[in-house]
């Protein structure tokens, strides 16, 4: 068990002797670490340190910022195996995938800012004006548990690049990789106070950030429920907000698509990280006359996938991150049955031999009513809803028929046709015929899925204010 009873403030590790929070291993339910349940005063110290560091860091050169990001990237590479294992244990992602995504994506994202920064136009001419892009100030970063380091890096790397100073409150469910990040940053040339980290509960230290006048921006990733609280609190003193929240993304399979490839591609996307992915394609829209065949294909995938400890190289599907999350998903599976959807595969009982830990069977529902709760609400587990449609117009209407709009997919034999349908989806990104993920493309949501964009230049611009000098 790791004792991580400390916070990182003003370039120093400050020991914490108050209450702690347990961190659990998804596969076993064992406590694997303890982190501070910090108090408001500790968060206030971190915010004051970030504020004191702002003036100087906001005037740092591009070369200084690039150097720090290069040192950060080197540290992330050196500690990648450790990061992958910590996140696998906490969140449940199979270790190989965790190496590629949970440890690999932060390296790649940091690289995009290293490459972008030297040529980024921090000032430009518009008529008789010089338009300048200035760092927004002290940024409070609040992050979730499902891709813990990735969500942190998507904020910390561009905020450093923009010249902002930072206070991070990582998720209390999966905080270990944030400690590794703080250790890495401690070894770089980043001046003290530019990056600070305080661990604790959202309602306590997160809330302190929301109400503190020195914090000029809140960059949040997490549930829509918490996003509401943040948007309201931030309004009180007009903090800038960037919100990345939940989703209920649709995969629209058109009649001329390769059904097998589309169903398998969509369902495997839904199962990634045990369904604990904000962009998961959790609603599969299929032509009514292909519904039964789609259920058969998805059912075979569900019944064939190897569940187990994520540290075992043969495991394809690990557990969920917490008992609370497991119970929530199981309740949704029971609700789906009660709502009258057809249970094609999986179900609410724990998988055989995996009663310990937080495992849930990959579950396929067929004939799902698009207005039912399982088709409208984010389940955040390995559960897919197959919804039949009659016409293309109906498919688009169903796809757009939730409060969310984070991601989506369209599959068709004809790519131009797929693009036409994709352009009608009210969602931040659409994968056409399984198009590859792009770390330079903007990422974010319509509607209740978010405000703002991360990744690429859009991610950097979240942290910049605009000033114009009339000359
Ligand atoms: P959550 O909203 O419960 O918690 C997210 C963070 O907010 C945590 O650090 C938590 O401590 C903090 N928090 C909670 N209450 C707070 C309060 N009152 N004030 C300030 N901070 C508070 O979300 P979660 O369960 O950790 O993560 C899962 C959710 O995140 C899902 O809904 C998922 O879709 C979403 N998510 C979205 C994206 C995206 O990019 N759109 C990415 C990953 C996860």
């Amino acid at each position: 068990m790791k004792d991580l009873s400390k916070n990182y403030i003003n370039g120093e590790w400050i020991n914490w002797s108050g209450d702690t929070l347990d961190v659990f291993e998804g596969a076993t339910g064992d406590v694997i670490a303890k982190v501070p349940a910090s108090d408001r005063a500790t968060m206030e110290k971190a915010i004051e340190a970030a504020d004191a560091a702002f003036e100087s860091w906001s005037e740092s050169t591009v070369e200084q910022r690039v150097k720090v990001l290069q040192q950060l990237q080197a540290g992330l590479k050196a500690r990648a195996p450790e990061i992958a294992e910590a996140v696998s244990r906490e969140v449940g992602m199979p270790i190989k995938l965790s190496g590629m995504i949970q440890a690999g994506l932060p390296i790649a994202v940091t690289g995009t800012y290293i490459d972008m920064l030297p040529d980024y136009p921090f000032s430009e001419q518009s008529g008789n004006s010089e338009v300048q892009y200035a760092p927004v100030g002290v940024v409070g970063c609040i992050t979730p548990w499902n891709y813990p380091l990735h969500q942190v890096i998507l904020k910390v790397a561009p905020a450093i690049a923009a010249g902002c100073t930072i206070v991070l409150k990582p998720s209390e469910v999966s905080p270990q990789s944030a400690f590794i990040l703080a250790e890495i940053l401690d070894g770089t040339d980043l001046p003290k106070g530019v990056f600070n980290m305080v661990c604790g509960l959202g309602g306590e230290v997160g809330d302190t950030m929301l109400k503190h006048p020195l914090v000029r921006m809140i960059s949040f990733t997490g549930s829509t429920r918490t996003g509401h609280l943040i948007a309201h609190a931030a309004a009180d003193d007009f903090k800038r907000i960037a919100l990345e929240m939940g989703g209920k993304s649709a995969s629209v399979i058109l009649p001329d698509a390769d059904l097998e490839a589309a169903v398998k591609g969509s369902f495997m996307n839904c199962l990634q990280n045990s369904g604990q992915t904000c962009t998961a394609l959790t609603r599969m829209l299929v032509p009514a006359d292909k519904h039964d065949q789609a259920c058969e294909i998805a059912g075979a995938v569900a019944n064939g996938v190897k569940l187990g400890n994520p540290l075992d190289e043969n495991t394809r599907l690990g557990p969920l991150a917490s008992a609370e999350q497991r119970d929530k998903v199981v309740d949704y599976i029971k609700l789906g049955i009660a709502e009258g959807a057809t249970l094609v595969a999986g179900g609410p009982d724990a998988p055989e031999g995996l009663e310990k830990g937080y495992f849930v069977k990959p579950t396929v529902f067929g004939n799902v009513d698009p207005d039912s709760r399982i088709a409208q609400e984010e389940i955040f587990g390995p559960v897919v809803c197959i919804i039949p449609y009659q016409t293309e117009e109906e498919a688009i209407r169903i796809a757009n028929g939730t409060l969310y709009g984070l991601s989506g997919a369209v599959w068709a034999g004809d790519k131009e046709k797929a693009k036409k349908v994709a352009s009608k989806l009210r969602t931040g990104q659409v994968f056409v015929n399984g198009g590859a993920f792009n770390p330079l493309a903007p990422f974010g949501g319509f509607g209740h899925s978010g405000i703002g964009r991360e990744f690429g230049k859009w991610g950097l611009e979240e942290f910049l204010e605009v000033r114009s000098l009339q000359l």
Side-chain angles (χ1 to χ4, degrees), residues 129-147:
S129 302
E130 180 182 315
V131 180
Q132 301 177 339
Y133 297 93
V136 73
V138 175
V139 180
C141 301
I142 303 179
T143 53
W145 47 261
N146 55 334
Y147 290 81

Side-chain angles (χ1 to χ4, degrees), residues 267 294-304 344-345 364:
F267 191 35
C295 285
E296 231 171 80
I297 298 166
V301 172
N303 292 327
V344 175
V364 179

